[in-house]
Amino acid sequence: MIRRIGPGRPWPLGVTPDADGANAAVHAADADAVALCLFDAEDRETARLPLPHRTGDVFHGYVPGLRPGQRYGLRAWGPFDPASGKRCNPAKLLVDPYATRLDRPFTLDPVLVDHDAPNSTDTAPLVPKAIVEAPPNTPVSWPAQAGHPRLPHPRRPFDWDRQVIYELHVRGFTRLHPDIPEAIRGTYAALAHPAVIAHLRHLGVTTVELMPSAAWIDDRHLPQIGLHNYWGYNPVAFLAPDPRLAPGGWDEVRTAVTALQDAGFHVLLDVVLNHSGEGDELGPTLSLRGLDNTGAYRLRRDDPALYVNDAGTGNILALDRPPMVALAMAALRIWAERGGFDGFRLDLATTLGRREDGFDPAAPLLAAMQQDPVLAERVVIAEPWDIGFGGYQLGSFPAGWGEWNDRFRDTMRRFWRGDAHMLGEVATRLAGSADIFAGRMTGSRSPTSSRMKPSTTRRTARTITTATVTTSPGTTGPRAQPTTPRSGRRGAATSAPCSCCCSPRAARRCCQWATRAAARSGATTTPIRRTTNSPGWTGARSIPVSSTSPRG
């Protein structure tokens, strides 16, 4: 029985247990008071403990006897005045922004919205409860960490020129695989299964990029049309793996990532830090909105009841303010250290560099990432745009970071759609997109890449290869020579005869189509000799090259 709560410490944020209890600290600038609410296994609220001290905007207290495994949430008392941007409402149980594990996934419900604060319904039955976890330096949290080297793996440096990046969804990639035990299908545990690793090796990829894995919620408009957010691009708890993907928590994530790395793959994570799943002014109150709405989000200057929407998702996080920089850095560090990831792909990265007056290449979060010893050794790939003013920032991110090239993406989309006049541009793009930010989008630092979202049917991943430009006597255009070896039959290393094909049948069909399309468009063809030790590959191949193809 908890009889008292002491002053505790303002740092670290979150609930941090020790031998005698746990320290609780919550940043809540909009609130007048914050309480730590404890729940039992039947989801009943057993205690509501006001945090007795406030240091700056951090409420804190020490709870004797609080142990790992305890389920908890937060409540905040303060002004509810949407017109001024403040939305404190103690009827809304809030998820700790620094929670590292949740007991269930988020479920969208109209009750979670706070339009009528005085008559609000208690949302505790609808909101996931955070789970107190032991510190990460104890054996309880690190069974898969023992002896694992600091990443990126020193034996396998990340060579930009030789990467084939394969994007996959943890659930979708493994959910129906017949060789994986049904109990673990659709989870991180399935990624460590030998059948998955064997398949990735057969594809010849070098890097696996996992789609977002932080705990997320459906977008507000989706249930109305019978849909759900499947991809995970709507996070609420940035430091907690989604229970649907990792029911075993961080241990399960780390075990899967380690298995992939031990098999020779780099492992990257798609991270969404530009917005939260609380959405626009009509969205649910789940975490940051009820604690520090005016500080966590960028509100419109002309109407603080509304949110700036540079991400096209209803809100954006104010990542130039110290509390939000700290939260974003904590999220990146935990996925790097506890998850063991080799690096990150930053969704809508322009938003991460925005200040009040627009994008700044020296913005606080971008600067913090470059100087942080944990993140400085990781691979970082920026998606260099958002939909706000001045949102297209290709070429503006820190040296050493990769950037997705949307022009390559659009070219490949038109190519697969069958636009014959695009053949020449395809050849140019496969030659390395040397006409766009030469030395930045190609070469040793950044890949030329496709930004296509995976489909839910046949193609479930994005494959990116980089290539070098070569010429031969008698030719006038660039040619694509893939530099990344592919796996042929029986594991034999091969050189793909056609950069857009991965099987003899597909290559024959592609090149037959290309020849006919080239004849219709008037493009010329340049013969390219390929060699391989895989049956079915002989002779010269052609890639159409148009001397008048657009290069912009």
Side-chain angles (χ1 to χ4, degrees):
M1 178 70 67
I2 297 173
R3 299 181 182 277
R4 60 184 177 83
I5 181 169
R9 307 177 305 277
W11 310 104
L13 292 173
V15 177
T16 309
D18 57 25
D20 301 317
N23 186 77
V26 180
H27 182 274
D30 287 349
D32 297 327
V34 175
L36 181 71
C37 304
L38 307 183
F39 292 81
D40 62 17
E42 284 72 41
D43 213 32
R44 294 173 299 196
E45 187 171 354
T46 59
R48 188 175 294 185
L49 310 172
L51 299 179
H53 285 263
R54 180 170 186 170
T55 301
D57 292 327
V58 177
F59 293 82
H60 52 96
Y62 184 84
V63 186
L66 192 62
R67 301 295 184 211
Q70 173 67 54
R71 299 162 69 246
Y72 73 97
L74 303 171
R75 296 185 191 271
W77 287 261
F80 181 83
D81 182 16
S84 66
K86 298 188 176 184
R87 295 176 178 266
C88 294
N89 183 353
K92 305 300 181 186
L93 188 75
L94 306 174
V95 174
D96 182 0
Y98 282 80
T100 59
R101 189 169 184 177
L102 302 181
D103 67 347
R104 73 192 79 168
F106 284 96
T107 302
L108 191 62
D109 190 285
V111 175
L112 298 172
V113 180
D114 63 2
H115 296 311
D116 190 13
N119 302 310
S120 294
T121 302
D122 188 0
T123 62
L126 301 171
V127 176
K129 311 306 183 294
I131 300 175
V132 178
E133 288 202 294
N137 60 346
T138 67
V140 175
S141 295
W142 289 100
Q145 166 69 2
H148 198 76
R150 179 178 287 270
L151 301 175
H153 201 295
R155 298 192 303 272
R156 295 179 291 105
F158 195 89
D159 185 350
W160 285 105
D161 286 339
R162 309 191 69 83
Q163 297 305 313
V164 180
I165 302 177
Y166 189 94
E167 183 182 50
L168 63 85
H169 187 279
V170 173
R171 180 174 175 82
F173 189 71
T174 63
R175 186 66 184 88
L176 300 178
H177 199 301
D179 296 335
I180 298 175
E182 188 169 358
I184 64 171
R185 290 181 190 175
T187 69
Y188 264 87
L191 292 180
H193 194 276
V196 169
I197 292 174
H199 178 65
L200 292 171
R201 281 176 168 164
H202 176 74
L203 293 177
V205 303
T206 64
T207 299
V208 176
E209 180 194 325
L210 305 183
M211 296 180 76
S213 298
W216 77 88
I217 193 170
D218 286 339
D219 307 67
R220 176 175 56 82
H221 66 283
L222 292 181
Q224 304 172 37
I225 54 178
L227 298 177
H228 295 281
N229 187 313
Y230 183 76
W231 303 120
Y233 287 87
N234 208 37
V236 177
F238 298 93
L239 280 69
D242 193 282
R244 290 166 289 194
L245 302 183
W250 281 110
D251 293 344
E252 180 175 343
V253 173
R254 183 57 181 247
T255 299
V257 171
T258 300
L260 290 168
Q261 290 166 338
D262 289 345
F265 301 103
H266 295 281
V267 187
L268 309 181
L269 179 68
D270 197 340
V271 175
V272 181
L273 294 173
N274 52 77
H275 76 283
S276 93
E278 291 182 303
D280 61 13
E281 68 278 3
L282 302 178
T285 296
L286 300 167
S287 183
L288 293 168
R289 174 170 285 163
L291 296 169
D292 185 18
N293 188 63
T294 59
Y297 296 107
R298 204 174 301 286
L299 307 180
R300 286 177 45 174
R301 295 176 181 175
D302 59 332
D303 187 354
L306 306 178
Y307 297 81
V308 175
N309 191 23
D310 291 338
T313 56
N315 66 59
I316 62 170
L317 299 177
L319 294 169
D320 58 335
R321 300 169 186 170
M324 297 310 297
V325 173
L327 178 62
M329 291 295 291
L332 291 170
R333 287 193 199 102
I334 199 170
W335 288 99
E337 293 186 307
R338 296 187 69 173
F341 286 89
D342 294 288
F344 305 101
R345 177 259 183 194
L346 303 176
D347 184 70
L348 298 182
T350 295
T351 302
L352 278 58
R354 284 193 178 275
R355 294 181 183 267
E356 290 285 351
D357 55 354
F359 178 80
D360 179 6
L365 179 57
L366 304 184
M369 291 179 63
Q370 293 179 77
Q371 61 82 39
D372 184 86
V374 174
L375 302 179
E377 62 182 12
R378 261 64 180 186
V379 176
V380 179
I381 301 173
E383 185 180 39
W385 53 77
D386 63 17
I387 68 169
F389 180 78
Y392 193 79
Q393 291 294 332
L394 185 66
S396 299
F397 286 86
W401 287 20
E403 295 177 346
W404 282 164
N405 181 345
D406 63 314
R407 302 190 189 190
F408 184 91
R409 169 204 63 188
D410 294 340
T411 296
M412 295 307 298
R413 278 179 170 167
R414 292 193 291 271
F415 173 80
W416 286 112
R417 191 167 59 220
D419 296 356
H421 70 281
M422 295 307 301
L423 290 172
E425 186 171 347
V426 168
T428 300
R429 295 293 179 243
L430 292 177
S433 292
D435 55 315
I436 303 175
F437 291 98
R440 183 173 185 85
M441 298 304 298
T442 60
S444 61
R445 294 198 302 182
S446 302
T448 348
S449 60
S450 162
R451 183 62 188 93
M452 289 184 286
K453 289 288 185 185
S455 72
T456 57
T457 53
R458 295 182 62 186
R459 289 188 177 90
T460 58
R462 175 176 72 232
T463 303
I464 301 98
T465 59
T466 57
T468 58
V469 179
T470 62
T471 59
S472 62
T475 63
T476 58
R479 302 185 303 168
Q481 295 281 5
T483 60
T484 305
R486 295 173 179 254
S487 296
R489 298 184 183 180
R490 300 177 183 175
T494 67
S495 181
C498 181
S499 298
C500 57
C501 307
C502 30
S503 71
R505 171 184 286 182
R508 285 194 295 270
R509 183 170 60 251
C510 172
C511 292
Q512 290 169 2
W513 174 85
T515 301
R516 291 194 298 270
R520 291 195 299 271
S521 66
T524 60
T525 60
T526 302
I528 299 178
R529 179 73 59 179
R530 306 293 194 195
T531 60
T532 179
N533 56 359
S534 176
W537 289 117
T538 58
R541 305 309 306 267
S542 299
I543 291 181
V545 177
S546 171
S547 59
T548 60
S549 63
R551 289 175 175 260

